[in-house]
Amino acid sequence: MRALIVDHSEPSGLRLGVAPDPTPGPGEVLVRVAAFGLNAGDLAAARGLSEGSVPGWEAAGHVVRAAAGGSGPAAGTPVTTFGYDGGWAEYRAVPLDMLGAAPAGADLAAISTVPIAAGSALRALRRSGPVLGRRIMITGATGGVGRYAIQLARLGGALPVAVTRSPGKYADELLDLGAAAVVAEPEDYPDTVHTVIDTVGGPLLVRAFDRLENCGVLISLGHLATEAESFPPGALMADPRRNNRTIVSFHQFDGTPLPPDFTWLSEQLTQGLLRPSISWRGSWRRIHEATAALAGGTLHGKAVADVEPAPLDDAHRA
C-alpha cells in the first residue's frame, strides 16, 4: 500500500512511498483511510521513528473489513480512528476501542480532527467539572484544541475567554466560534475565571493561573512554550478570594472509553453544531507544505491531508 513513510533525508522527514499492508488482529477492523489530521505532536514522534516507519495518530475513513465475529462497526461505516502510528497510509488496522463511528455522509476530513483536538478539548472540559455559567479561559485559542474548546465550552453553557497573541487578527473568528471575550494576555481579562485550559505552558500558564478564583482549576493540556514555568514568590499563596486553586496534569488516553466520545463528536460535526476549523487542507502529496507550516507556527487551526483513492478496487481487501 501507499503510505507516508519516515525518511530522515527529507526536509519534512517524510516521503510518499510503499509500506506493507496492515493485518488486523483480534478485535481490530481494517479501515481505508480517506483523510488524516496532522499535529505538531505526531510530527515530533515521527522524528524518533526508524526509516520506513509509518507515523500518524488520527485518521478517518471507511471500514473495509469488520472485526472477527461481527463486533464493532460493519464494513462501509465511516469512522474516525486513533493510534500511536500508522495513520498516514491507505489502510489502517484499528482496535475497536480506538475508533468511533460517524453518521453516513460525514465529512471525513472534518471527523479526522476528532481524536486529538476535539477529544482533548472535550475531556479537559469534563475535568473542570460543571461549566454552566462559568468563565473558562482558553490559552492558545487559535489552535485546533483551542477552537474546539471554545465551541464545546459554549455548548455547555460556559463563557469562554480566548487568549491569543493576535486578538486583532483573530477576534472576529473566535467570537463567531462562541468566545465571550478575546484578549492578548490573561491579565487583560478584568474578571477571575473558574477554569483555565492551557495549551501553551511556560510563563503564560503562570499568568493564567493568577486569574483563577476560589476553587478554580488550571488544566495543563499542552506545552508549546520553550520556557519553563516559574512562579514568583507568593504566587501559590491563598487569600479569601483565591483559595483552593489547583493545577492538574492531563492525559486524554487515561483508560476511559474513547468510542462514545469519538462517535458523539463526529455526530456534532456532521450536524453542524461543531466546526473543525480546518486551516490547511490538501493532498498528502503536499505534506512538505503542511509540515513546514506546522513547524513554523504559521498554521492556526487544523491541518488535514486527503488520501487520493488507490488505482485498484478495495474489494480484494474486504
Side-chain angles (χ1 to χ4, degrees):
M1 68 174 180
R2 297 173 301 161
L4 285 173
I5 61 176
V6 173
D7 183 342
H8 296 299
S9 68
E10 293 283 348
S12 66
L14 301 162
R15 66 176 172 85
L16 190 58
V18 176
D21 288 359
T23 302
E28 293 186 338
V29 299
L30 184 66
V31 174
R32 168 69 169 92
V33 175
F36 57 79
L38 292 91
N39 306 281
D42 49 9
L43 290 178
R47 289 193 289 270
L49 297 176
S50 60
E51 292 280 325
S53 299
V54 179
W57 290 349
E58 55 184 358
H62 290 92
V63 174
V64 294
R65 186 186 304 165
S71 58
T77 304
V79 290
T80 187
T81 71
F82 175 80
Y84 291 103
D85 54 29
W88 298 351
E90 285 184 286
Y91 293 91
R92 183 181 210 184
V94 188
L96 292 175
D97 60 358
M98 288 289 193
L99 59 79
D107 178 358
L108 297 178
I111 68 167
S112 75
T113 70
V114 160
I116 301 298
S120 295
L122 176 64
R123 291 184 168 219
L125 283 164
R126 286 190 184 141
R127 177 61 183 82
S128 79
V131 301
L132 186 65
R134 284 177 161 166
R135 295 179 294 275
I136 296 181
M137 181 171 284
I138 300 157
T139 70
T142 62
V145 175
R147 290 168 187 254
Y148 272 124
I150 289 170
Q151 296 177 76
L152 290 166
R154 179 61 84 173
L155 278 176
L159 300 173
V161 179
V163 180
T164 171
R165 289 178 297 179
S166 305
K169 183 176 181 180
Y170 294 107
D172 288 347
E173 186 178 356
L174 297 177
L175 290 169
D176 187 53
L177 288 175
V182 181
V183 296
E185 293 287 347
E187 54 267 34
D188 293 340
Y189 186 64
D191 212 335
T192 57
V193 299
H194 175 269
T195 302
V196 173
I197 295 178
D198 177 65
T199 69
V200 178
L204 185 61
L205 180 153
V206 175
R207 299 195 297 275
F209 177 80
D210 189 57
R211 306 308 300 153
L212 287 179
E213 60 195 27
N214 274 348
C215 300
V217 57
L218 184 148
I219 301 158
S220 179
L221 195 150
H223 201 288
L224 299 174
T226 57
E227 300 172 78
E229 294 78 26
S230 179
F231 288 85
L236 302 180
M237 295 295 291
D239 62 40
R241 295 176 298 107
R242 296 187 299 176
N243 183 42
N244 195 29
R245 297 172 297 159
T246 57
I247 299 175
V248 298
S249 58
F250 176 85
H251 183 61
Q252 181 188 6
F253 305 105
D254 59 4
T256 54
L258 295 172
D261 288 353
F262 288 178
T263 295
W264 182 81
L265 288 164
S266 297
E267 290 169 350
Q268 306 316 298
L269 282 162
T270 303
Q271 294 170 19
L273 298 176
L274 289 176
R275 285 180 272 169
S277 293
I278 297 172
S279 301
W280 185 97
R281 182 178 180 181
S283 167
W284 64 343
R285 297 180 184 277
R286 296 166 53 200
I287 191 69
H288 305 305
E289 177 185 325
T291 57
L294 280 170
T298 60
L299 198 154
H300 297 273
K302 286 296 300 180
V304 173
D306 295 308
V307 178
E308 292 100 343
L312 297 178
D313 187 5
D314 288 329
H316 70 287
R317 299 180 186 271

